[in-house]
Amino acid sequence: MAGSNGDLKLLGHKGSPFVARVKLALGLKGISYDYVEEDIFGQKSDLLLRSNPVHKAVPVLIHNGKPICESQVIVQYIDEVFVGTGPSLLPADPYDRALARFWVAYIDDKLGASFDRALRAKTDEERNEAIKQTFAAAEALEGGLKECSKGKNFFGGDNAGYVDIIVGSVVPWVKVISVLAGAELFDPAKMPGMVAWVDRFCELDVAKAVLQDPKILLEQAKMLMAKNSAVASNN
Ligand SMILES: N[C@@H](CCC(=O)N[C@@H](CS)C(=O)NCC(=O)O)C(=O)O
């Protein structure tokens, strides 16, 4: 879409939390864009393959013809390039920015990685172990919220920012893993701050517009788990 922010196109997939991050960032900043749904499990478009030849994955944001890949990189790019448009997503203070980047890395490297292992596990034993690690990783977020928010409503303070976007993108998946595990990933007894944060985040218009229906994601997760278990039992 060629508006005052230039020509912006997002290549995405409806189930992807990584794509949701970019939608949340653009939405929070009030930036309009064209969206192209990619068939990532079937025929990826030439545009996607040309734009992200290294990973061949979504999201890709194409800004005035130039592709930017990887969700963390894209969200930071949006914040830097559209600096005068909408609220800032990363904190202004360098130490607070470092904290935000630390928690974002933690979410992908610990929480996201163990959940991904649970979905791709080949045996029940592997899956149960990965689910256990996901639960252990989630608990640290309670401290992360306290550290980043300094007692305010969001990781970003008074308003949702970079860490809120990253945690927010996995909120529907938090519901999915809770159903699969038969226990709340964000346990109200251990993580009251995070439980309240989820309610606040889900009340934002941008969250209502972007976040996927957990019921649909649950079906996708079950299909993926069944596929991976079947591959394992055929080997
Ligand atoms: N680290 C990447 C992960 C992106 C990713 O895993 N995208 C998935 C969709 S959720 C994808 O496009 N997969 C297609 C493939 O790998 O072939 C990011 O943060 O953007």
Side-chain angles (χ1 to χ4, degrees):
M1 177 170 294
S4 56
N5 295 309
D7 190 21
L8 270 181
K9 185 178 285 178
L10 173 62
L11 311 185
H13 182 262
K14 55 183 180 308
S16 167
F18 304 104
V19 173
R21 295 169 176 188
V22 180
K23 291 181 177 176
L24 288 167
L26 290 166
L28 280 170
K29 283 182 88 64
I31 296 168
S32 46
Y33 57 97
D34 286 326
Y35 178 76
V36 179
E37 178 73 10
E38 284 285 337
D39 179 9
I40 55 169
F41 301 117
Q43 185 70 41
K44 292 174 183 168
S45 74
D46 284 346
L47 181 60
L48 173 60
L49 298 175
R50 259 188 287 122
S51 305
N52 190 356
V54 175
H55 295 300
K56 303 176 178 64
V58 292
V60 177
L61 184 70
I62 305 177
H63 186 205
N64 294 330
K66 291 192 287 188
I68 306 106
C69 305
E70 289 290 309
S71 60
Q72 292 186 25
V73 176
I74 299 171
V75 173
Q76 295 194 40
Y77 175 84
I78 290 168
D79 204 32
E80 286 170 11
V81 84
F82 303 120
V83 77
T85 309
S88 290
L89 302 177
L90 273 98
D93 177 77
Y95 184 73
D96 291 342
R97 286 167 90 88
L99 277 184
R101 289 184 173 125
F102 170 86
W103 283 106
V104 164
Y106 179 85
I107 290 152
D108 276 2
D109 297 347
K110 290 285 183 187
L111 190 64
S114 49
F115 183 50
D116 196 53
R117 279 199 299 280
L119 288 180
R120 292 173 201 286
K122 295 187 170 56
T123 63
D124 286 350
E125 199 185 357
E126 260 178 53
R127 177 164 306 118
N128 292 340
E129 180 54 32
I131 288 180
K132 218 167 86 187
Q133 289 169 359
T134 311
F135 273 72
E139 277 186 32
L141 287 182
E142 186 72 7
L145 176 62
K146 281 201 184 86
E147 191 173 32
C148 294
S149 70
K150 302 184 177 78
K152 295 188 171 170
N153 275 349
F154 294 101
F155 284 88
D158 289 321
N159 299 305
Y162 185 36
V163 187
D164 298 278
I165 287 170
I166 305 299
V167 188
S169 70
V170 297
V171 161
W173 288 99
V174 168
K175 297 184 180 157
V176 168
I177 195 160
S178 301
V179 172
L180 292 175
E184 292 295 333
L185 182 63
F186 290 175
D187 177 351
K190 291 182 185 159
M191 304 175 66
M194 280 307 298
V195 171
W197 175 89
V198 169
D199 289 344
R200 275 196 296 278
F201 188 80
C202 290
E203 275 308 306
L204 298 176
D205 287 342
V206 69
K208 288 182 186 157
V210 168
L211 296 186
Q212 307 95 334
D213 180 349
K215 287 194 207 91
I216 296 172
L217 298 184
L218 181 62
E219 292 317 306
Q220 280 181 24
K222 283 181 177 165
M223 268 161 45
L224 188 61
M225 289 190 308
K227 197 172 119 196
N228 289 325
S229 302
V231 169
S233 57
N234 287 339
N235 287 335

